[in-house]
Amino acid sequence: MQENPTGADIRQSFIDFFAERGHTFVPSSSLVPGGDSTLLFTNAGMVQFKDVFLGTDLRPYTRAVNSQKCLRVSGKHNDLEQVGRDDTHHTFFEMLGNWSFGDYYKKEAIGWAWELITEVWKLPKDKLWATYFKDELNEIPEDREAADIWLAQPGFNPDHLVPFGRKENFWEMAETGPCGPDTEIHIDRGPEFCELCDDPDHVCQVNGDCGRFLEFWNNVFIQYNRLSPTELVPLEKTHVDTGMGFERIVSILQDTPSNYKTDLFMPLIIRIQKLAGQSNAEREANLTPYRVIADHARATTFLIADGVVPGNIGRNYICRMLIRRAARFGMKLGLHDPFMAEVSQVVIDEYGNFFPELKRNATAILDNLTREEKRFAKTVHAGLEHLDELLSEIKTSGQTVLAGEKAFDLYATLGLPLEITRDIAQEQGLEVDSAGYEQAMEAHRLISGAGKEFGGLNGDDVESYAALMEALHTSGKLPRSGVRYDPYQPVAEPMEVLALISNGEPVDEVKPGDTVDVLLPQTGFYVEAGGQVSDTGQIVSAKGDGWAIKVTGMRKPVAGIILHTGEVVHGTPKVGDRAVAQVDQARRVQIMRNHTATHLLHAALQDVLGRHARQAGSLVAPDHLRFDFNHPEPMSRTELLAVEAQVNQAILANYQLRIAQKPLDQAINEGATALFGEKYEGIVRTISIGDDQPLSYELCGGTHVEETSDIGLFLITYEGSIAAGIRRIEAVTGWQAYQLARARMNTLEEVNARLGTASAETVIKVENLLQTLGGVEKENQKLRKQLVGSAFDENLENIEQIAGIPVLKAVLPNATMDTLREMADKFRQKNPSGVAVLATVQDGKPILIAAITEDLVKRGLHAGKLVQKVAGVVGGGGGGRPTLAQAGGKDASKLAEALDQVHAYLHGTLD
Ligand SMILES: [Zn+2]
Ligand SMILES: [Zn+2]
């Protein structure tokens, strides 16, 4: 790499390095996670690969390299309040990663990491440190493999390898699921980076509390599947998942004291400085506003590019809050007119080559920023004044906390987000009751009628959709009941495009590349409900003049309005055009297979486990299904296989599905299963499967196959716990099930080829191998014991006389506590009167045993006291009976010195 590399050079050199080693470059996925409704924003590089690790997604590559856009503003990793106040925290950041999906493992991962940082990036080897996993509870095996690979790296200082326990070096995706040890790379930036060196008790160290040692790369080795807090099983395929904070490595390679001083931020900061008309000295005196604005400008530019525009709820609220927070910090620099678009333009210029979505959506980004700043400007002064009054009142009355209800009022009426209220309160040493804020918001949502159902994460402006609905009804284009919704019989005829909505506003036409919401008088696209995901597909011009919109999702902002969300592929769609909407049928068929299989699974679980195994949640997606149910304990393998077999029997029986509409009362009386927490009214839709005595009978609005054999094959891929008393099953059907079975068979065939055996004999052959291996291990142990024995015999000749007593002190190589005990017995058999103290080193730590014959115990000697005195020197302790006691210690290098204590003890006790 060239001298003085730019951030873009560094990112590219990372990608090139791994691409040259067979990795496929995978573009960053959106900040809005696809298919994971539990996550507000993509917050780590592995989000888009999660399903690959879980085995439910297959990719055409086994090695990947990427730089992932990430955002952390809420939830567990919430650094918002830190952002701007120090040199390293950001809301938006990039994560560089290289990935192995069942391909290479620790040797290559560590070797390449070392090669990249020392050969390509030329980081000084003597400043680099590595950590590896050693379980403090001694339950999970130590990662000796990683440690040994580190020690073999050319020029790696063996003293720079340090073990850490679970918190630092064991990675888990969740309470259950894939997990494994990791190894972190740290750099020693030198004593000048330590801000605690005045403290005499402070020690600069890896994972310490000062800024001197900086972790910049974590390599995770996924090798286990966690089934419960105490149960780990090895994974069939092991994976590598690495993450390097991009801003951090750029700061290291550009040798800047702060991430904000790198060329990733400086162009933004200089633009802010020009806008504010400040000198360099003024800028350095006001760093916090500069950092906040630069950080939030990056975050909001990328958010809007990914379709998240400012709004009231969920993701859209975050976008709004970040723009307003940046605007408020701008006021501290004297910036009162909208300025964010100016800063954002620098972000687009600096990052647009690598992230083309920024250039593609530049107009939308800049417009949205300015529009939101103008909206905020209307009320911000009144809001800040009112907040000031409230805070003064609190101080006068001697309180310290602003009521959540008041904070919510400030947002609802004057547009001041909670986060800004909190910033200002904190600047005056006060707090805000966040829980009270949430309660007030919830109460408001219920009163205003904007039910949760429509709020979701979309943050739509409910009033303007209601107005649109009213206008279309008045002009006779939509009935009072709104869009006709029938996902069971897709519409083939052309329909009129009633409205196009872009960036939250109705528009007359849209251009290629625009994201758009399309409103049609009726739709056959399924809208996410009851766990089944929305349909995708396309809307094309009926005139054949070639416009097309790719539909990626569906939503229902208010009752009666159903929108197809997507992107214009080509042409210029206009309001009033006639169009045909086509559901992606292949995807829909796979969803239908999974939905019907979900009903069969529910029935089989109740049959095998009992009636208590009721549904507690589900996800029906095209590539897999997920089913949560009540059950107090893990399912046994027999139970799982029985459930799987029952579902497949029902598939082979080829039952016709009977779908009917009937009054709710009648359905319930007939025994149909209603799902807890779902709302049913009037006429309901029922699905029954089976003969006259149906196997499964449920209330359900989802789409289903016509007969069960359409499902093809059903395979369970996972069973685990998600909460107390609730289990989760994941499964695949149809083509995915075939692919999974094929992949497993490939593995088995490969194993057989290596073992040189036929399928029927694999298990026998593996058992034989394990047995042989066990025999070799036993033999090995025996030999080791013999070696210790002969070392001991040599020592028996070195018995000294101390205070007239025969004494044996010896350090035996490669022994265990058991062998030490045997040797101690042997000593006592050969010496009717005497003292023996034997030691060895196990896993780098000393262990000791002391034996004293009965006659000497009568003279006042005590093995427990003796061993304690000796172990004290090696930093440990122990105890036991007067005749036999054992101890452990920490420092093996002091063993010889420790054994000298025997002399002092004997003289001290007997003389
Ligand atoms: Zn320090
Ligand atoms: Zn259903």
Side-chain angles (χ1 to χ4, degrees), residues 796 799 806 826-834 853:
L796 273 182
I799 290 178
K826 203 166 160 190
F827 171 83
R828 284 188 290 188
Q829 280 160 19
K830 293 206 169 175
N831 296 278
S833 173
T853 49

Side-chain angles (χ1 to χ4, degrees), residues 168-216:
E168 306 288 350
N169 281 77
F170 198 81
W171 178 91
E172 313 222 18
M173 186 189 284
E175 277 169 32
T176 57
C179 57
D182 59 59
T183 174
E184 296 172 343
I185 308 175
H186 297 245
I187 188 164
D188 178 358
R189 304 198 82 184
E192 64 273 23
F193 281 85
C194 177
E195 65 280 17
L196 300 171
C197 44
D198 292 337
D199 178 352
D201 293 333
H202 171 69
V203 184
C204 288
Q205 58 192 346
V206 166
N207 288 328
D209 47 1
C210 74
R212 177 168 165 184
F213 287 88
L214 196 61
E215 183 224 325
F216 64 94

Side-chain angles (χ1 to χ4, degrees), residues 96-174:
L96 301 173
N98 56 291
W99 309 82
S100 160
F101 307 120
D103 189 318
Y104 63 82
Y105 207 41
K106 296 177 188 177
K107 186 159 172 273
E108 292 84 353
I110 293 175
W112 285 336
W114 185 248
E115 186 186 345
L116 174 65
I117 59 181
T118 62
E119 300 296 322
V120 181
W121 288 346
K122 309 247 183 271
L123 290 174
K125 292 179 179 174
D126 56 330
K127 296 276 185 276
L128 295 168
W129 291 66
T131 66
Y132 72 99
F133 175 66
K134 189 163 189 299
D135 189 8
E136 67 273 30
L137 303 178
N138 258 318
E139 287 169 6
I140 309 171
E142 173 185 13
D143 194 0
R144 244 354 281 180
E145 191 186 352
D148 289 338
I149 295 170
W150 270 116
L151 295 174
Q153 297 309 313
F156 179 76
N157 181 345
D159 296 336
H160 286 191
L161 180 66
V162 270
F164 280 93
R166 296 188 182 197
K167 184 170 157 277
E168 306 288 350
N169 281 77
F170 198 81
W171 178 91
E172 313 222 18
M173 186 189 284

